[in-house]
Amino acid sequence: MDDNDSNIRRWEDLDIDILVKIFQLLDIFQLTSGISRVCSAWRMACCDPLLWKTLDLSMLRSNFIKIPLEPYVYVDERSDRTLTRLLKISLGLSRQSITTSIFHFNLYVSDEQLTYTAERCPRLKRLVLPAWNRIKKTGMCKAIRCWKELESLTMPSIANPPYILEEISTHCKNFSELKIMGPCDVFFASSMAAFLPNLRVLSLRCSMLFTDVLILILDSLQNLEVLNISHCILMEALPAPQHKRIVKEIDVTIRQKASRLREFLTCIDDSCVMCQRTRTDEGLVRWYKYEEGLWKTDEVRSLTL
């Protein structure tokens, strides 16, 4: 009996590399479910950097209700505790290996959760954080100061962009890629020109965009290589009483200015489903109404998830 037992390999005796390959098949919920506590070998495998290049929370949503005052959402306490627990376990196991962090557009992170994440992900290069309702200016600035290697950011449209773009300009010297999930107005475009003159990739897809803003971007961001305005509602400002009109085709002047770009991605087509959805939602797409995961797509390969 003892001889037979000695020939049976136990799970904890598996080679660490094999364990890591098995664990790579698990999602973050499974990785943080307690398998790291099975034995020392499993914990060692759970901490392997190959498992923690990306902190993917794109399937986790907050349980929330909308409220009329700032931050305009109230997040259920249990939902908050779930996220905090997940962050603590993940960031403990990752040992500062995370270079990409992805949050769902309905995952409302608090200042404390963001700061906790930032301090434990100093090597972060890409951040996808579409919802900022609960994040204050001080919290976002503190996080940005931790991410000196940040290169890419997906963010919502915000009312006061200079503070965040200035922080990026000061602390993130390799920053080159920005995606804005929402309208980009003259103020936002001017802020980009002032603080991100070396920006190389910009995506404004599925939003409302005025032609004067587009021209400002093309004239000001001289290092821009890729611009995505696919499925945008392109508007032209007019004198009163009309004020504005929808532009059906991109005019020659804009195309000439965009000709220096490596890629100028456009789609203004009445038969395009995504263009129709942008118009229906008046330039601020309600992603929750559509297919799960649709918000992750982008015509720019480096920005798609």
Side-chain angles (χ1 to χ4, degrees):
M1 187 73 177
D2 291 339
D3 289 341
N4 289 336
D5 286 347
S6 65
N7 293 326
I8 298 173
R9 292 193 66 186
R10 296 174 299 176
W11 275 98
E12 59 264 37
D13 294 330
L14 270 179
D15 186 86
I16 293 294
D17 291 339
I18 295 176
L19 280 172
V20 171
K21 285 187 179 296
I22 294 171
F23 292 167
Q24 281 180 306
L25 301 174
L26 306 180
D27 61 29
I28 190 170
F29 304 104
Q30 295 165 324
L31 277 174
T32 57
S33 63
I35 61 173
S36 65
R37 297 196 296 270
V38 170
C39 62
S40 58
W42 282 38
R43 179 160 187 89
M44 189 182 301
C46 282
C47 293
D48 193 283
L50 287 175
L51 300 177
W52 296 106
K53 290 180 180 179
T54 299
L55 176 66
D56 188 356
L57 298 175
S58 61
M59 297 304 293
L60 182 65
R61 308 181 189 193
S62 297
N63 183 19
F64 70 96
I65 57 172
K66 293 183 178 181
I67 56 176
L69 302 175
E70 287 190 7
Y72 305 112
V73 292
Y74 171 78
V75 177
D76 175 67
E77 212 171 292
R78 184 184 298 177
S79 180
D80 247 354
R81 286 199 300 269
T82 298
L83 175 57
T84 298
R85 173 190 165 278
L86 202 59
L87 288 173
K88 284 185 175 180
I89 297 173
S90 300
L91 298 173
L93 293 172
S94 69
R95 297 179 179 177
Q96 301 189 358
S97 298
I98 294 168
T99 57
T100 297
S101 189
I102 305 168
F103 295 85
H104 193 277
F105 67 87
N106 270 348
L107 183 57
Y108 295 101
V109 180
S110 68
D111 272 343
E112 293 77 15
Q113 291 164 338
L114 182 67
T115 301
Y116 185 87
T117 302
E119 290 171 346
R120 288 157 183 80
C121 298
R123 298 171 56 204
L124 196 72
K125 293 185 177 181
R126 184 182 184 190
L127 175 65
V128 178
L129 188 63
W132 289 15
N133 298 56
R134 300 172 68 203
I135 301 172
K136 298 181 177 65
K137 176 179 176 179
T138 50
M140 197 67 215
C141 289
K142 186 175 180 180
I144 291 295
R145 289 165 194 158
C146 294
W147 293 323
K148 299 190 185 303
E149 297 181 34
L150 189 69
E151 297 174 4
S152 175
L153 173 64
T154 296
M155 62 177 287
S157 181
I158 57 175
N160 183 25
Y163 83 86
I164 180 66
L165 300 186
E166 185 174 8
E167 287 293 334
I168 291 172
S169 175
T170 303
H171 299 284
C172 312
K173 299 304 181 183
N174 296 323
F175 191 83
S176 62
E177 193 174 71
L178 180 64
K179 178 176 181 176
I180 304 169
M181 295 184 68
C184 178
D185 57 16
V186 171
F187 187 32
F188 210 127
S190 300
S191 300
M192 284 192 290
F195 298 111
L196 302 178
N198 295 320
L199 195 67
R200 292 199 299 272
V201 178
L202 176 63
S203 180
L204 305 172
R205 72 188 304 270
C206 302
S207 64
M208 184 178 291
L209 183 64
F210 278 82
T211 54
D212 58 338
V213 175
L214 180 54
I215 290 170
L216 175 59
I217 289 170
L218 291 169
D219 285 343
S220 304
L221 296 174
Q222 288 299 308
N223 291 298
L224 198 65
E225 297 175 7
V226 179
L227 176 59
N228 185 13
I229 61 166
S230 299
H231 321 301
C232 282
I233 305 173
L234 201 56
M235 306 291 293
E236 182 182 10
L238 298 172
Q242 289 180 293
H243 299 296
K244 61 185 179 182
R245 72 174 182 90
I246 295 178
V247 175
K248 295 291 187 180
E249 291 185 5
I250 298 172
D251 67 31
V252 176
T253 304
I254 290 175
R255 290 206 175 273
Q256 285 176 342
K257 289 178 180 292
S259 63
R260 66 174 177 82
L261 301 175
R262 178 163 52 84
E263 286 186 278
F264 182 43
L265 302 165
T266 67
C267 179
I268 306 174
D269 187 346
D270 289 340
S271 64
C272 171
V273 173
M274 208 59 241
C275 288
Q276 292 170 7
R277 289 172 171 176
T278 305
R279 284 198 298 274
T280 299
D281 293 340
E282 300 178 334
L284 187 60
V285 177
R286 275 72 171 174
W287 296 104
Y288 62 85
K289 300 194 306 184
Y290 306 116
E291 303 94 304
E292 179 60 47
L294 183 65
W295 67 277
K296 299 179 183 180
T297 62
D298 199 287
E299 290 70 22
V300 180
R301 185 177 299 178
S302 61
L303 287 171
T304 199
L305 298 172

